[in-house]
Amino acid sequence: MSKEMKGGCFCGAIRYAVTSKPKLKAQCHCRACQYFAGGGPNYYMLISPEGLHFSRGEPGTYQNPKKSGAVTRSFCRTCGTHLTTKRPGLRELVLKVGTLDDPDEFGGPKIAIFCEEKQDWHLIPEDIPTFDTLPPQN
């Protein structure tokens, strides 16, 4: 990766650096992401766990106890900013693009997932592949 990306939570209690190139840049329209994103899709990058380094603070975590195979979400314990998601069976972390100091570094999604759950008013760029759920695994 040519440039380290930095970010953190809204209040500044959590700071991080990403030192590895994102594996995927996407947007998710699942209902859970709509809750965490405030109604819209969730814009994210898949990154190597070894490529995320916290330089300030330690995030809290949440896993829905009522859902089998639930994801683990990390967040700032002070301001509540959602930072990452760890999905069972997926090695990479889901990093929330809105937490980057410069969200333009995202460059836009390359795919849209869980489109079967999107709202009619959610926007998807015309030139990217869309999937009703998750894309097929190679």
Side-chain angles (χ1 to χ4, degrees):
M1 187 167 121
S2 61
K3 182 183 175 194
E4 179 179 84
M5 292 182 281
K6 293 186 177 185
C9 67
F10 183 69
C11 74
I14 305 280
R15 294 293 303 153
Y16 68 78
V18 175
T19 58
S20 61
K21 183 177 179 180
K23 181 177 178 181
L24 174 71
K25 297 176 179 184
Q27 66 187 64
C28 181
H29 295 269
C30 79
R31 190 64 183 107
C33 280
Q34 292 175 44
Y35 276 101
F36 283 96
N42 171 38
Y43 296 95
Y44 70 91
M45 298 185 300
L46 285 184
I47 60 168
S48 162
E50 300 82 21
L52 178 65
H53 307 279
F54 288 99
S55 58
R56 183 179 340 155
E58 187 67 33
T61 60
Y62 173 77
Q63 190 176 44
N64 187 338
K66 297 176 184 177
K67 185 173 181 183
S68 173
V71 301
T72 301
R73 300 179 187 279
S74 75
F75 62 94
C76 173
R77 296 173 199 261
T78 304
C79 68
T81 300
H82 184 196
L83 301 160
T84 67
T85 299
K86 177 68 177 137
R87 197 177 85 214
L90 181 64
R91 183 183 175 298
E92 291 80 16
L93 288 172
V94 174
L95 177 70
K96 310 308 176 180
V97 172
T99 66
L100 291 170
D101 290 345
D102 182 4
D104 271 347
E105 292 178 310
F106 175 58
K110 302 302 179 200
I111 67 170
I113 63 172
F114 286 98
C115 294
E116 69 182 11
E117 297 180 36
K118 80 175 193 63
Q119 304 305 312
D120 290 339
W121 42 268
H122 285 173
L123 302 177
I124 299 174
E126 291 181 21
D127 60 341
I128 67 170
T130 60
F131 301 90
D132 285 343
T133 58
L134 290 171
Q137 299 298 313
N138 296 341

